[in-house]
Amino acid sequence: MAQGRGKRRNGGAMKGGIDDLAIFGAPPAFREKLYVGRPNIGDRERLLARINDLIDRKWLTNNGPYVQEFERRVADSLGVKHCISMCNGTVALEIATRALGLTGEVIVPSFTFVATAHALQWQEITPVFCDIQPETFTFAHARVEEMITPRTTGIIGVHLWGRPCDVEALTGIARRRRLRLLFDAAHAFGCSHQGRMIGQFGDAEILSFHATKFLNTFEGGAVLTGDDALARKIRLMKNFGFSGYDDVVYIGINGKMSEVAAAMGLTGLESIDDFIGANRRNYALYRDGLSGIPGIRPVLYDERERCNYQYVVLEVDEASSGVGRDTLVDVLHAENVIARRYFHPGAHRMEPYRSCFPHAGLVLPVTERLTRRVLSLPTGTSIGADEIREICAILRLAVANAPGLGARLGAVPPSR
Ligand SMILES: Cc1ncc(COP(=O)(O)O)c(C=O)c1O
């Protein structure tokens, strides 16, 4: 597997002073851009053999053998009865939402990728944005209860960055208030909660296998559920409602995963341990390399659980670091480290939600604060230890020189 072994690093010593920063005109630390979410790719020969095979077979889509095998393997590895593969995670959310009969209002976090909200609004269901807990970045369940109205039909919890929601609290609320419970587990393939794999909770959970995700199928997704009737309905819905060659028994759309996507997924599944190993090593390197920098707090994973370590996220407390999150992102971008502000500014500040619900921020104080403080750093199989050490050194240098940085950047035009 291709590992980044410092190949892209510009030669010479690490940056030692503020004048060495690329934002002030010095050469960038890396010749090529380092991206968040560079795809994890398994064994190329195995993938190409599968692609040759499916071309020989001339079975490219419509529940082919690779799709069936991929569904079986995912279901088995997560200990869930049904895995229904999809063309992407957004369609998986839309179909699951519809199959669960959600209407009216559904409670969701705003601190998520906008697809969680769009999947509802696309179907004219109102996403009601609920605040999160500052420690976990997932639903504040006491707030969830307060957002329920007579129009509420469901709750969608998001296992953000693969860190599980408070599943027990949400399950209790859903049961007591007779609501459907769906989890957006787009980030959480291979993660567990209290020893049980994500995928086993709620009425259903959805996965994304987008290229940037821990396990990818180029584009792809899945719905996971233990409910036979729901699984059958979802299978019909994702294939135009066809139950036989020419018998349509239900309204449906096209949510099918292709054979080539499943071939990619099966190949990736064979390298899961390598992907986790690389991510885990990177996470530990960042955690150690950033320790002691004032105001920079890596978001930690619970190491007693299974975890994919796919996201390296920092929370920046400007009062302690002396440098704001956005300035650090500018400094990193200048060095060709394309850090991302996931999930800034929060779905409630994006269209159509910011126009429809201009006051949503009033009930989202934690979301509003955290969207201004987080940044994600490159990890995965295409970045090496030297590169991570250099990224940490750049952050350390920026914070150590916060006053000088601030003063000089006052004169530099903002990059975004
Ligand atoms: C939390 C979350 N939900 C849903 C999605 C949508 O998945 P997809 O891109 O596969 O449609 C994504 C990511 O892309 C995501 O991060």
mmCIF file with all atom_site columns, all heavy atoms in Angstrom, residues 71-96:
data_model
loop_
_atom_site.group_PDB
_atom_site.id
_atom_site.type_symbol
_atom_site.label_atom_id
_atom_site.label_alt_id
_atom_site.label_comp_id
_atom_site.label_asym_id
_atom_site.label_entity_id
_atom_site.label_seq_id
_atom_site.pdbx_PDB_ins_code
_atom_site.Cartn_x
_atom_site.Cartn_y
_atom_site.Cartn_z
_atom_site.occupancy
_atom_site.B_iso_or_equiv
_atom_site.pdbx_formal_charge
_atom_site.auth_seq_id
_atom_site.auth_comp_id
_atom_site.auth_asym_id
_atom_site.auth_atom_id
_atom_site.pdbx_PDB_model_num
ATOM 1   N N   . GLU A 1 71 ? -22.531 -6.871  0.523  1.00 0.00 ? 71 GLU A N   1
ATOM 2   C CA  . GLU A 1 71 ? -23.585 -6.705  1.538  1.00 0.00 ? 71 GLU A CA  1
ATOM 3   C C   . GLU A 1 71 ? -23.423 -7.750  2.654  1.00 0.00 ? 71 GLU A C   1
ATOM 4   O O   . GLU A 1 71 ? -23.535 -7.431  3.837  1.00 0.00 ? 71 GLU A O   1
ATOM 5   C CB  . GLU A 1 71 ? -24.967 -6.826  0.893  1.00 0.00 ? 71 GLU A CB  1
ATOM 6   C CG  . GLU A 1 71 ? -25.298 -5.653  -0.013 1.00 0.00 ? 71 GLU A CG  1
ATOM 7   C CD  . GLU A 1 71 ? -26.706 -5.703  -0.589 1.00 0.00 ? 71 GLU A CD  1
ATOM 8   O OE1 . GLU A 1 71 ? -27.332 -6.798  -0.562 1.00 0.00 ? 71 GLU A OE1 1
ATOM 9   O OE2 . GLU A 1 71 ? -27.184 -4.656  -1.080 1.00 0.00 ? 71 GLU A OE2 1
ATOM 10  N N   . ARG A 1 72 ? -23.154 -8.983  2.245  1.00 0.00 ? 72 ARG A N   1
ATOM 11  C CA  . ARG A 1 72 ? -23.002 -10.063 3.230  1.00 0.00 ? 72 ARG A CA  1
ATOM 12  C C   . ARG A 1 72 ? -21.814 -9.799  4.156  1.00 0.00 ? 72 ARG A C   1
ATOM 13  O O   . ARG A 1 72 ? -21.913 -9.915  5.364  1.00 0.00 ? 72 ARG A O   1
ATOM 14  C CB  . ARG A 1 72 ? -22.771 -11.377 2.485  1.00 0.00 ? 72 ARG A CB  1
ATOM 15  C CG  . ARG A 1 72 ? -23.770 -12.459 2.851  1.00 0.00 ? 72 ARG A CG  1
ATOM 16  C CD  . ARG A 1 72 ? -23.572 -13.777 2.126  1.00 0.00 ? 72 ARG A CD  1
ATOM 17  N NE  . ARG A 1 72 ? -22.467 -13.931 1.224  1.00 0.00 ? 72 ARG A NE  1
ATOM 18  C CZ  . ARG A 1 72 ? -22.557 -13.882 -0.122 1.00 0.00 ? 72 ARG A CZ  1
ATOM 19  N NH1 . ARG A 1 72 ? -23.726 -13.659 -0.697 1.00 0.00 ? 72 ARG A NH1 1
ATOM 20  N NH2 . ARG A 1 72 ? -21.498 -14.055 -0.889 1.00 0.00 ? 72 ARG A NH2 1
ATOM 21  N N   . ARG A 1 73 ? -20.720 -9.378  3.555  1.00 0.00 ? 73 ARG A N   1
ATOM 22  C CA  . ARG A 1 73 ? -19.499 -9.161  4.362  1.00 0.00 ? 73 ARG A CA  1
ATOM 23  C C   . ARG A 1 73 ? -19.671 -7.995  5.324  1.00 0.00 ? 73 ARG A C   1
ATOM 24  O O   . ARG A 1 73 ? -19.219 -8.052  6.463  1.00 0.00 ? 73 ARG A O   1
ATOM 25  C CB  . ARG A 1 73 ? -18.306 -8.884  3.454  1.00 0.00 ? 73 ARG A CB  1
ATOM 26  C CG  . ARG A 1 73 ? -17.972 -10.065 2.624  1.00 0.00 ? 73 ARG A CG  1
ATOM 27  C CD  . ARG A 1 73 ? -16.533 -10.454 2.772  1.00 0.00 ? 73 ARG A CD  1
ATOM 28  N NE  . ARG A 1 73 ? -16.368 -11.715 2.083  1.00 0.00 ? 73 ARG A NE  1
ATOM 29  C CZ  . ARG A 1 73 ? -15.308 -12.054 1.404  1.00 0.00 ? 73 ARG A CZ  1
ATOM 30  N NH1 . ARG A 1 73 ? -14.293 -11.245 1.345  1.00 0.00 ? 73 ARG A NH1 1
ATOM 31  N NH2 . ARG A 1 73 ? -15.243 -13.221 0.811  1.00 0.00 ? 73 ARG A NH2 1
ATOM 32  N N   . VAL A 1 74 ? -20.314 -6.936  4.847  1.00 0.00 ? 74 VAL A N   1
ATOM 33  C CA  . VAL A 1 74 ? -20.523 -5.776  5.734  1.00 0.00 ? 74 VAL A CA  1
ATOM 34  C C   . VAL A 1 74 ? -21.456 -6.180  6.872  1.00 0.00 ? 74 VAL A C   1
ATOM 35  O O   . VAL A 1 74 ? -21.179 -5.914  8.050  1.00 0.00 ? 74 VAL A O   1
ATOM 36  C CB  . VAL A 1 74 ? -21.089 -4.565  4.946  1.00 0.00 ? 74 VAL A CB  1
ATOM 37  C CG1 . VAL A 1 74 ? -21.541 -3.457  5.885  1.00 0.00 ? 74 VAL A CG1 1
ATOM 38  C CG2 . VAL A 1 74 ? -20.050 -4.026  3.975  1.00 0.00 ? 74 VAL A CG2 1
ATOM 39  N N   . ALA A 1 75 ? -22.554 -6.854  6.530  1.00 0.00 ? 75 ALA A N   1
ATOM 40  C CA  . ALA A 1 75 ? -23.515 -7.268  7.563  1.00 0.00 ? 75 ALA A CA  1
ATOM 41  C C   . ALA A 1 75 ? -22.832 -8.174  8.591  1.00 0.00 ? 75 ALA A C   1
ATOM 42  O O   . ALA A 1 75 ? -22.979 -7.972  9.807  1.00 0.00 ? 75 ALA A O   1
ATOM 43  C CB  . ALA A 1 75 ? -24.711 -7.970  6.923  1.00 0.00 ? 75 ALA A CB  1
ATOM 44  N N   . ASP A 1 76 ? -22.055 -9.141  8.106  1.00 0.00 ? 76 ASP A N   1
ATOM 45  C CA  . ASP A 1 76 ? -21.384 -10.068 9.037  1.00 0.00 ? 76 ASP A CA  1
ATOM 46  C C   . ASP A 1 76 ? -20.397 -9.331  9.929  1.00 0.00 ? 76 ASP A C   1
ATOM 47  O O   . ASP A 1 76 ? -20.324 -9.570  11.126 1.00 0.00 ? 76 ASP A O   1
ATOM 48  C CB  . ASP A 1 76 ? -20.632 -11.165 8.266  1.00 0.00 ? 76 ASP A CB  1
ATOM 49  C CG  . ASP A 1 76 ? -21.600 -12.152 7.616  1.00 0.00 ? 76 ASP A CG  1
ATOM 50  O OD1 . ASP A 1 76 ? -22.812 -12.087 7.931  1.00 0.00 ? 76 ASP A OD1 1
ATOM 51  O OD2 . ASP A 1 76 ? -21.152 -12.957 6.775  1.00 0.00 ? 76 ASP A OD2 1
ATOM 52  N N   . SER A 1 77 ? -19.626 -8.421  9.331  1.00 0.00 ? 77 SER A N   1
ATOM 53  C CA  . SER A 1 77 ? -18.588 -7.771  10.137 1.00 0.00 ? 77 SER A CA  1
ATOM 54  C C   . SER A 1 77 ? -19.203 -6.847  11.179 1.00 0.00 ? 77 SER A C   1
ATOM 55  O O   . SER A 1 77 ? -18.574 -6.576  12.201 1.00 0.00 ? 77 SER A O   1
ATOM 56  C CB  . SER A 1 77 ? -17.596 -7.020  9.243  1.00 0.00 ? 77 SER A CB  1
ATOM 57  O OG  . SER A 1 77 ? -18.200 -5.875  8.698  1.00 0.00 ? 77 SER A OG  1
ATOM 58  N N   . LEU A 1 78 ? -20.423 -6.383  10.944 1.00 0.00 ? 78 LEU A N   1
ATOM 59  C CA  . LEU A 1 78 ? -21.043 -5.474  11.914 1.00 0.00 ? 78 LEU A CA  1
ATOM 60  C C   . LEU A 1 78 ? -22.066 -6.183  12.807 1.00 0.00 ? 78 LEU A C   1
ATOM 61  O O   . LEU A 1 78 ? -22.645 -5.562  13.698 1.00 0.00 ? 78 LEU A O   1
ATOM 62  C CB  . LEU A 1 78 ? -21.717 -4.299  11.183 1.00 0.00 ? 78 LEU A CB  1
ATOM 63  C CG  . LEU A 1 78 ? -20.784 -3.473  10.291 1.00 0.00 ? 78 LEU A CG  1
ATOM 64  C CD1 . LEU A 1 78 ? -21.528 -2.317  9.645  1.00 0.00 ? 78 LEU A CD1 1
ATOM 65  C CD2 . LEU A 1 78 ? -19.593 -2.941  11.093 1.00 0.00 ? 78 LEU A CD2 1
ATOM 66  N N   . GLY A 1 79 ? -22.314 -7.445  12.533 1.00 0.00 ? 79 GLY A N   1
ATOM 67  C CA  . GLY A 1 79 ? -23.272 -8.193  13.352 1.00 0.00 ? 79 GLY A CA  1
ATOM 68  C C   . GLY A 1 79 ? -24.686 -7.669  13.202 1.00 0.00 ? 79 GLY A C   1
ATOM 69  O O   . GLY A 1 79 ? -25.444 -7.589  14.172 1.00 0.00 ? 79 GLY A O   1
ATOM 70  N N   . VAL A 1 80 ? -25.052 -7.302  11.968 1.00 0.00 ? 80 VAL A N   1
ATOM 71  C CA  . VAL A 1 80 ? -26.409 -6.783  11.713 1.00 0.00 ? 80 VAL A CA  1
ATOM 72  C C   . VAL A 1 80 ? -27.059 -7.668  10.643 1.00 0.00 ? 80 VAL A C   1
ATOM 73  O O   . VAL A 1 80 ? -26.372 -8.197  9.766  1.00 0.00 ? 80 VAL A O   1
ATOM 74  C CB  . VAL A 1 80 ? -26.348 -5.286  11.307 1.00 0.00 ? 80 VAL A CB  1
ATOM 75  C CG1 . VAL A 1 80 ? -25.564 -5.082  10.040 1.00 0.00 ? 80 VAL A CG1 1
ATOM 76  C CG2 . VAL A 1 80 ? -27.716 -4.670  11.161 1.00 0.00 ? 80 VAL A CG2 1
ATOM 77  N N   . LYS A 1 81 ? -28.379 -7.854  10.760 1.00 0.00 ? 81 LYS A N   1
ATOM 78  C CA  . LYS A 1 81 ? -29.034 -8.824  9.889  1.00 0.00 ? 81 LYS A CA  1
ATOM 79  C C   . LYS A 1 81 ? -29.041 -8.392  8.424  1.00 0.00 ? 81 LYS A C   1
ATOM 80  O O   . LYS A 1 81 ? -28.777 -9.187  7.532  1.00 0.00 ? 81 LYS A O   1
ATOM 81  C CB  . LYS A 1 81 ? -30.469 -9.049  10.386 1.00 0.00 ? 81 LYS A CB  1
ATOM 82  C CG  . LYS A 1 81 ? -31.148 -10.222 9.756  1.00 0.00 ? 81 LYS A CG  1
ATOM 83  C CD  . LYS A 1 81 ? -32.346 -10.651 10.561 1.00 0.00 ? 81 LYS A CD  1
ATOM 84  C CE  . LYS A 1 81 ? -33.042 -11.837 9.889  1.00 0.00 ? 81 LYS A CE  1
ATOM 85  N NZ  . LYS A 1 81 ? -34.385 -12.018 10.418 1.00 0.00 ? 81 LYS A NZ  1
ATOM 86  N N   . HIS A 1 82 ? -29.372 -7.130  8.169  1.00 0.00 ? 82 HIS A N   1
ATOM 87  C CA  . HIS A 1 82 ? -29.507 -6.674  6.779  1.00 0.00 ? 82 HIS A CA  1
ATOM 88  C C   . HIS A 1 82 ? -28.573 -5.510  6.478  1.00 0.00 ? 82 HIS A C   1
ATOM 89  O O   . HIS A 1 82 ? -28.563 -4.520  7.213  1.00 0.00 ? 82 HIS A O   1
ATOM 90  C CB  . HIS A 1 82 ? -30.938 -6.191  6.505  1.00 0.00 ? 82 HIS A CB  1
ATOM 91  C CG  . HIS A 1 82 ? -31.979 -7.223  6.778  1.00 0.00 ? 82 HIS A CG  1
ATOM 92  N ND1 . HIS A 1 82 ? -32.249 -8.255  5.914  1.00 0.00 ? 82 HIS A ND1 1
ATOM 93  C CD2 . HIS A 1 82 ? -32.807 -7.394  7.843  1.00 0.00 ? 82 HIS A CD2 1
ATOM 94  C CE1 . HIS A 1 82 ? -33.213 -9.020  6.417  1.00 0.00 ? 82 HIS A CE1 1
ATOM 95  N NE2 . HIS A 1 82 ? -33.568 -8.522  7.592  1.00 0.00 ? 82 HIS A NE2 1
ATOM 96  N N   . CYS A 1 83 ? -27.834 -5.654  5.376  1.00 0.00 ? 83 CYS A N   1
ATOM 97  C CA  . CYS A 1 83 ? -27.089 -4.521  4.806  1.00 0.00 ? 83 CYS A CA  1
ATOM 98  C C   . CYS A 1 83 ? -27.636 -4.345  3.399  1.00 0.00 ? 83 CYS A C   1
ATOM 99  O O   . CYS A 1 83 ? -27.524 -5.263  2.579  1.00 0.00 ? 83 CYS A O   1
ATOM 100 C CB  . CYS A 1 83 ? -25.591 -4.817  4.762  1.00 0.00 ? 83 CYS A CB  1
ATOM 101 S SG  . CYS A 1 83 ? -24.684 -3.620  3.737  1.00 0.00 ? 83 CYS A SG  1
ATOM 102 N N   . ILE A 1 84 ? -28.231 -3.191  3.147  1.00 0.00 ? 84 ILE A N   1
ATOM 103 C CA  . ILE A 1 84 ? -28.775 -2.925  1.812  1.00 0.00 ? 84 ILE A CA  1
ATOM 104 C C   . ILE A 1 84 ? -27.892 -1.843  1.193  1.00 0.00 ? 84 ILE A C   1
ATOM 105 O O   . ILE A 1 84 ? -27.921 -0.685  1.641  1.00 0.00 ? 84 ILE A O   1
ATOM 106 C CB  . ILE A 1 84 ? -30.247 -2.460  1.888  1.00 0.00 ? 84 ILE A CB  1
ATOM 107 C CG1 . ILE A 1 84 ? -31.063 -3.502  2.670  1.00 0.00 ? 84 ILE A CG1 1
ATOM 108 C CG2 . ILE A 1 84 ? -30.831 -2.250  0.505  1.00 0.00 ? 84 ILE A CG2 1
ATOM 109 C CD1 . ILE A 1 84 ? -31.795 -2.946  3.846  1.00 0.00 ? 84 ILE A CD1 1
ATOM 110 N N   . SER A 1 85 ? -27.116 -2.232  0.204  1.00 0.00 ? 85 SER A N   1
ATOM 111 C CA  . SER A 1 85 ? -26.157 -1.284  -0.369 1.00 0.00 ? 85 SER A CA  1
ATOM 112 C C   . SER A 1 85 ? -26.890 -0.237  -1.203 1.00 0.00 ? 85 SER A C   1
ATOM 113 O O   . SER A 1 85 ? -27.993 -0.482  -1.709 1.00 0.00 ? 85 SER A O   1
ATOM 114 C CB  . SER A 1 85 ? -25.146 -2.026  -1.236 1.00 0.00 ? 85 SER A CB  1
ATOM 115 O OG  . SER A 1 85 ? -25.814 -2.647  -2.312 1.00 0.00 ? 85 SER A OG  1
ATOM 116 N N   . MET A 1 86 ? -26.255 0.915   -1.346 1.00 0.00 ? 86 MET A N   1
ATOM 117 C CA  . MET A 1 86 ? -26.854 2.050   -2.067 1.00 0.00 ? 86 MET A CA  1
ATOM 118 C C   . MET A 1 86 ? -25.788 2.739   -2.911 1.00 0.00 ? 86 MET A C   1
ATOM 119 O O   . MET A 1 86 ? -24.588 2.537   -2.697 1.00 0.00 ? 86 MET A O   1
ATOM 120 C CB  . MET A 1 86 ? -27.393 3.082   -1.063 1.00 0.00 ? 86 MET A CB  1
ATOM 121 C CG  . MET A 1 86 ? -28.502 2.591   -0.192 1.00 0.00 ? 86 MET A CG  1
ATOM 122 S SD  . MET A 1 86 ? -30.085 2.652   -1.063 1.00 0.00 ? 86 MET A SD  1
ATOM 123 C CE  . MET A 1 86 ? -31.090 1.768   0.123  1.00 0.00 ? 86 MET A CE  1
ATOM 124 N N   . CYS A 1 87 ? -26.252 3.626   -3.781 1.00 0.00 ? 87 CYS A N   1
ATOM 125 C CA  . CYS A 1 87 ? -25.322 4.358   -4.646 1.00 0.00 ? 87 CYS A CA  1
ATOM 126 C C   . CYS A 1 87 ? -24.554 5.424   -3.882 1.00 0.00 ? 87 CYS A C   1
ATOM 127 O O   . CYS A 1 87 ? -23.479 5.835   -4.314 1.00 0.00 ? 87 CYS A O   1
ATOM 128 C CB  . CYS A 1 87 ? -26.068 4.974   -5.827 1.00 0.00 ? 87 CYS A CB  1
ATOM 129 S SG  . CYS A 1 87 ? -27.448 5.992   -5.317 1.00 0.00 ? 87 CYS A SG  1
ATOM 130 N N   . ASN A 1 88 ? -25.075 5.904   -2.765 1.00 0.00 ? 88 ASN A N   1
ATOM 131 C CA  . ASN A 1 88 ? -24.329 6.824   -1.900 1.00 0.00 ? 88 ASN A CA  1
ATOM 132 C C   . ASN A 1 88 ? -25.054 6.937   -0.550 1.00 0.00 ? 88 ASN A C   1
ATOM 133 O O   . ASN A 1 88 ? -26.166 6.412   -0.382 1.00 0.00 ? 88 ASN A O   1
ATOM 134 C CB  . ASN A 1 88 ? -24.127 8.208   -2.556 1.00 0.00 ? 88 ASN A CB  1
ATOM 135 C CG  . ASN A 1 88 ? -25.426 8.911   -2.880 1.00 0.00 ? 88 ASN A CG  1
ATOM 136 O OD1 . ASN A 1 88 ? -26.279 9.084   -2.014 1.00 0.00 ? 88 ASN A OD1 1
ATOM 137 N ND2 . ASN A 1 88 ? -25.578 9.318   -4.122 1.00 0.00 ? 88 ASN A ND2 1
ATOM 138 N N   . GLY A 1 89 ? -24.417 7.614   0.387  1.00 0.00 ? 89 GLY A N   1
ATOM 139 C CA  . GLY A 1 89 ? -24.974 7.722   1.730  1.00 0.00 ? 89 GLY A CA  1
ATOM 140 C C   . GLY A 1 89 ? -26.190 8.630   1.794  1.00 0.00 ? 89 GLY A C   1
ATOM 141 O O   . GLY A 1 89 ? -27.097 8.414   2.608  1.00 0.00 ? 89 GLY A O   1
ATOM 142 N N   . THR A 1 90 ? -26.230 9.642   0.932  1.00 0.00 ? 90 THR A N   1
ATOM 143 C CA  . THR A 1 90 ? -27.362 10.576  0.947  1.00 0.00 ? 90 THR A CA  1
ATOM 144 C C   . THR A 1 90 ? -28.642 9.870   0.517  1.00 0.00 ? 90 THR A C   1
ATOM 145 O O   . THR A 1 90 ? -29.700 10.025  1.154  1.00 0.00 ? 90 THR A O   1
ATOM 146 C CB  . THR A 1 90 ? -27.071 11.781  0.021  1.00 0.00 ? 90 THR A CB  1
ATOM 147 O OG1 . THR A 1 90 ? -25.811 12.338  0.408  1.00 0.00 ? 90 THR A OG1 1
ATOM 148 C CG2 . THR A 1 90 ? -28.151 12.831  0.104  1.00 0.00 ? 90 THR A CG2 1
ATOM 149 N N   . VAL A 1 91 ? -28.538 9.078   -0.544 1.00 0.00 ? 91 VAL A N   1
ATOM 150 C CA  . VAL A 1 91 ? -29.717 8.318   -0.994 1.00 0.00 ? 91 VAL A CA  1
ATOM 151 C C   . VAL A 1 91 ? -30.095 7.268   0.055  1.00 0.00 ? 91 VAL A C   1
ATOM 152 O O   . VAL A 1 91 ? -31.282 7.016   0.303  1.00 0.00 ? 91 VAL A O   1
ATOM 153 C CB  . VAL A 1 91 ? -29.455 7.702   -2.395 1.00 0.00 ? 91 VAL A CB  1
ATOM 154 C CG1 . VAL A 1 91 ? -30.514 6.666   -2.757 1.00 0.00 ? 91 VAL A CG1 1
ATOM 155 C CG2 . VAL A 1 91 ? -29.437 8.804   -3.439 1.00 0.00 ? 91 VAL A CG2 1
ATOM 156 N N   . ALA A 1 92 ? -29.100 6.693   0.721  1.00 0.00 ? 92 ALA A N   1
ATOM 157 C CA  . ALA A 1 92 ? -29.405 5.756   1.820  1.00 0.00 ? 92 ALA A CA  1
ATOM 158 C C   . ALA A 1 92 ? -30.220 6.467   2.900  1.00 0.00 ? 92 ALA A C   1
ATOM 159 O O   . ALA A 1 92 ? -31.213 5.927   3.411  1.00 0.00 ? 92 ALA A O   1
ATOM 160 C CB  . ALA A 1 92 ? -28.103 5.198   2.409  1.00 0.00 ? 92 ALA A CB  1
ATOM 161 N N   . LEU A 1 93 ? -29.825 7.704   3.222  1.00 0.00 ? 93 LEU A N   1
ATOM 162 C CA  . LEU A 1 93 ? -30.585 8.476   4.228  1.00 0.00 ? 93 LEU A CA  1
ATOM 163 C C   . LEU A 1 93 ? -31.998 8.774   3.737  1.00 0.00 ? 93 LEU A C   1
ATOM 164 O O   . LEU A 1 93 ? -32.972 8.637   4.493  1.00 0.00 ? 93 LEU A O   1
ATOM 165 C CB  . LEU A 1 93 ? -29.882 9.821   4.474  1.00 0.00 ? 93 LEU A CB  1
ATOM 166 C CG  . LEU A 1 93 ? -28.866 9.937   5.595  1.00 0.00 ? 93 LEU A CG  1
ATOM 167 C CD1 . LEU A 1 93 ? -28.171 11.296  5.522  1.00 0.00 ? 93 LEU A CD1 1
ATOM 168 C CD2 . LEU A 1 93 ? -29.504 9.753   6.968  1.00 0.00 ? 93 LEU A CD2 1
ATOM 169 N N   . GLU A 1 94 ? -32.105 9.176   2.474  1.00 0.00 ? 94 GLU A N   1
ATOM 170 C CA  . GLU A 1 94 ? -33.421 9.537   1.935  1.00 0.00 ? 94 GLU A CA  1
ATOM 171 C C   . GLU A 1 94 ? -34.352 8.329   1.920  1.00 0.00 ? 94 GLU A C   1
ATOM 172 O O   . GLU A 1 94 ? -35.526 8.422   2.311  1.00 0.00 ? 94 GLU A O   1
ATOM 173 C CB  . GLU A 1 94 ? -33.276 10.106  0.521  1.00 0.00 ? 94 GLU A CB  1
ATOM 174 C CG  . GLU A 1 94 ? -32.689 11.498  0.541  1.00 0.00 ? 94 GLU A CG  1
ATOM 175 C CD  . GLU A 1 94 ? -32.369 12.039  -0.844 1.00 0.00 ? 94 GLU A CD  1
ATOM 176 O OE1 . GLU A 1 94 ? -32.625 11.353  -1.847 1.00 0.00 ? 94 GLU A OE1 1
ATOM 177 O OE2 . GLU A 1 94 ? -31.841 13.152  -0.893 1.00 0.00 ? 94 GLU A OE2 1
ATOM 178 N N   . ILE A 1 95 ? -33.827 7.199   1.490  1.00 0.00 ? 95 ILE A N   1
ATOM 179 C CA  . ILE A 1 95 ? -34.671 6.001   1.393  1.00 0.00 ? 95 ILE A CA  1
ATOM 180 C C   . ILE A 1 95 ? -35.022 5.507   2.803  1.00 0.00 ? 95 ILE A C   1
ATOM 181 O O   . ILE A 1 95 ? -36.173 5.140   3.069  1.00 0.00 ? 95 ILE A O   1
ATOM 182 C CB  . ILE A 1 95 ? -33.988 4.927   0.533  1.00 0.00 ? 95 ILE A CB  1
ATOM 183 C CG1 . ILE A 1 95 ? -33.944 5.406   -0.920 1.00 0.00 ? 95 ILE A CG1 1
ATOM 184 C CG2 . ILE A 1 95 ? -34.706 3.582   0.649  1.00 0.00 ? 95 ILE A CG2 1
ATOM 185 C CD1 . ILE A 1 95 ? -33.347 4.407   -1.906 1.00 0.00 ? 95 ILE A CD1 1
ATOM 186 N N   . ALA A 1 96 ? -34.059 5.512   3.711  1.00 0.00 ? 96 ALA A N   1
ATOM 187 C CA  . ALA A 1 96 ? -34.358 5.046   5.079  1.00 0.00 ? 96 ALA A CA  1
ATOM 188 C C   . ALA A 1 96 ? -35.407 5.940   5.726  1.00 0.00 ? 96 ALA A C   1
ATOM 189 O O   . ALA A 1 96 ? -36.352 5.460   6.373  1.00 0.00 ? 96 ALA A O   1
ATOM 190 C CB  . ALA A 1 96 ? -33.077 5.032   5.907  1.00 0.00 ? 96 ALA A CB  1
#
